[in-house]
Amino acid sequence: MARIVLKFGGTSVADLDRIRNVAARVAAEARAGHQIAVVVSAMSGVTNQLVGWCQALSPLHDAREYDAVVATGEQVTAGLLAIALQELGVEARSWQGWQLPIRTDTAHGKARIQSIEGGEIVRRMQAGQVAVVTGFQGIAEDHRITTLGRGGSDTSAVALAAALKAERCDIYTDVDGVYTTDPRIVPKARKLARIAYEEMLELASVGAKVLQTRSVELAMNERVRVRVLSSFTEAPASDDAGTLVVDEDEIVEKEIVAGIAYSRDEAKITVRRVPDRPGIAAAIFGALAAENVNVDMIVQNISDDSTTDMTFTVGRADLARTQAVLGSAQPQIGYRDLAIDADVAKISVVGVGMRSHAGVASTMFRTLADKAINIQVISTSEIKVSVLIAAEYTELAVRALHTAYGLDAA
Ligand code: ASP
Ligand code: MG
């Protein structure tokens, strides 16, 4: 008998039939004798609609009222799932964030969970009652409802699993696990049986949108074993269904490269002819940080006279703001002009095996060279190599790299 947290995303609870399907899965786990807490998202599309309503009334709406509105989607599914479970003869009740409570800070719209009071639901789980908890939401110190940012139900589930000391957190979604790359681009992509937290974190942050990045961080810090699996396959899920996100020590056969991710949401900016003297990088990136612009890759080119070029990338959504910030800072920074390129893609190879194996980066560069793909910017971390290339070569690059690292399914 185990204590398990099950999380169901929006597509898994999209309509009443899907909710019945979820109830049947939950009922099977409960009947197997497990103690079950379920975390639910809003029905798919609902949060988008709620967000849209707030924006339609006022683009600069009160963030606290935004949270009051968008948190309702999860309240509906939690109640409906509890009813569906009761229909199957399973004792169940719904819990909203404030009822546990799930305490967060006051950063409305992107709040962070501070603590979860799990005592009462544990007592009831031990007595056989299933707890159906709303994802995405909590309550701040001032008793106002907060939400955790889009995709935040994953984080709710992992945080609840940590608070309840659950054996595992099963995240049900519409894909059957984490793949070596996007199967829409590479049909030979393979599902990974296991992936290390660090790898998942890098993949999530470079565009593989299976789990909310913050949920992976939390799982890593709290050592929560997370399983990603589909609610669209036959129930009950077998023991080897999905992908287990775990500590790298739990992965026996480590691959050097676990996966290849891409992101088309980048834009490249070159600040041309900036004076080459101390304080210039601080002036440029300080001004951007002050406006909350996240800078990703950075290169400073060598200078032949007293000026240099500085190239970096930002999220494409931040491009206009970046141009505005740099425009007004031009007198202080003293650059000549900006070159903007939004037609770029970032391709990343990720794997903990890189720590102990040489040659991963050079394989990447060689593979791209063989396809005549020009590399514009390179950045590396301990377990990741990323390059920026022209967006039109995204598919070609991902396919070639997938083959080069031996990831293609037989
Ligand atoms: N319903 C919220 C959203 O769509 C939270 C979630 O589903 O994780 O972003
Ligand atoms: Mg999600």
Side-chain angles (χ1 to χ4, degrees):
M1 195 199 70
R3 185 177 296 165
I4 310 172
V5 172
L6 308 177
K7 183 259 172 179
F8 293 91
T11 50
S12 299
V13 292
D15 55 38
L16 294 184
D17 275 338
R18 299 295 311 155
I19 290 176
R20 283 191 197 98
N21 168 286
V22 166
R25 284 174 187 276
V26 174
E29 300 277 10
R31 291 202 176 109
H34 300 310
Q35 293 178 18
I36 306 293
V38 186
V39 173
V40 286
S41 286
M43 295 160 97
S44 66
V46 166
T47 309
N48 285 345
Q49 181 172 55
L50 296 169
V51 170
W53 284 342
C54 295
Q55 265 155 5
L57 279 180
S58 163
L60 292 175
H61 45 258
D62 181 344
R64 293 159 299 191
E65 301 306 347
Y66 164 94
D67 279 350
V69 173
V70 300
T72 58
E74 275 69 13
Q75 180 174 346
V76 172
T77 36
L80 289 175
L81 181 56
I83 292 173
L85 283 165
Q86 290 167 3
E87 267 310 285
L88 297 178
V90 176
E91 212 196 308
R93 81 154 263 193
S94 68
W95 296 84
Q96 290 185 59
W98 64 269
Q99 291 174 316
L100 284 177
I102 296 173
R103 294 201 179 82
T104 73
D105 62 17
T106 55
H108 285 276
K110 49 177 187 310
R112 280 181 171 267
I113 295 176
Q114 292 174 330
S115 66
I116 296 182
E117 183 52 65
E120 182 58 25
I121 63 171
V122 165
R123 273 187 289 281
R124 291 171 184 237
M125 285 160 71
Q126 283 165 341
Q129 190 181 74
V130 172
V132 185
V133 181
T134 50
F136 188 46
Q137 51 159 278
I139 185 162
E141 211 174 24
D142 58 1
H143 292 281
R144 301 203 63 168
I145 289 170
T146 52
T147 63
L148 308 180
R150 298 306 306 270
S153 294
D154 294 336
T155 301
S156 306
V158 172
L160 188 65
L164 302 181
K165 302 203 177 354
E167 193 152 300
R168 214 175 55 227
C169 181
D170 282 353
I171 301 209
Y172 282 89
T173 174
D174 49 10
V175 294
D176 61 353
V178 180
Y179 278 72
T180 48
T181 194
D182 185 344
R184 287 170 303 184
I185 291 188
V186 183
K188 284 186 169 176
R190 274 187 292 123
K191 182 172 79 73
L192 294 161
R194 292 179 176 224
I195 187 168
Y197 293 122
E198 285 91 340
E199 293 169 335
M200 192 64 224
L201 205 51
E202 292 283 13
L203 289 176
S205 65
V206 289
K209 296 187 182 67
V210 193
L211 294 174
Q212 197 200 32
T213 308
R214 211 195 294 166
S215 71
V216 185
E217 270 165 21
L218 189 64
M220 182 163 86
N221 294 338
E222 302 286 333
R223 298 285 154 203
V224 175
R225 306 172 85 235
V226 172
R227 185 162 67 144
V228 177
L229 70 175
S230 170
S231 70
F232 290 79
T233 53
E234 228 171 279
S238 61
D239 281 347
D240 59 356
T243 299
L244 208 51
V245 189
V246 289
D247 194 276
E248 64 176 280
D249 293 346
E250 283 197 58
I251 302 175
V252 190
E253 282 184 31
K254 288 189 194 50
E255 320 225 20
I256 299 172
V257 168
I260 296 163
Y262 65 93
S263 159
R264 292 191 178 101
D265 305 327
E266 319 270 319
K268 183 180 74 167
I269 294 116
T270 301
V271 190
R272 282 202 287 224
R273 314 238 100 186
V274 287
D276 190 12
R277 58 173 158 73
I280 286 300
I284 293 174
F285 298 113
L288 292 170
E291 291 300 317
N292 275 320
V293 174
N294 244 329
V295 174
D296 182 20
M297 310 166 104
I298 302 178
V299 280
Q300 183 185 321
N301 305 322
I302 198 157
S303 61
D304 40 14
D305 46 28
S306 57
T307 66
T308 181
D309 291 348
M310 191 90 87
T311 299
F312 58 91
T313 63
V314 298
R316 204 171 294 176
D318 283 337
L319 181 56
R321 208 143 38 102
T322 302
Q323 284 177 275
V325 170
L326 292 178
S328 46
Q330 184 172 27
Q332 294 125 266
I333 302 170
Y335 61 86
R336 192 187 67 196
D337 59 3
L338 299 177
I340 308 290
D341 184 357
D343 262 337
V344 291
K346 183 170 70 172
I347 314 290
S348 305
V349 299
V350 173
V352 289
M354 277 181 216
R355 290 200 194 109
S356 48
H357 282 81
V360 174
S362 65
T363 299
M364 184 179 204
F365 305 152
R366 164 75 13 230
T367 306
L368 297 175
D370 287 347
K371 298 287 177 195
I373 298 171
N374 187 40
I375 299 171
Q376 304 178 8
V377 185
I378 300 169
S379 72
T380 62
S381 78
E382 219 188 349
I383 66 158
K384 181 181 71 174
V385 184
S386 299
V387 297
L388 200 71
I389 62 171
E392 59 184 307
Y393 299 122
T394 307
E395 280 92 352
L396 179 62
V398 171
R399 279 192 207 113
L401 292 167
H402 200 265
T403 304
Y405 290 108
L407 297 174
D408 290 351

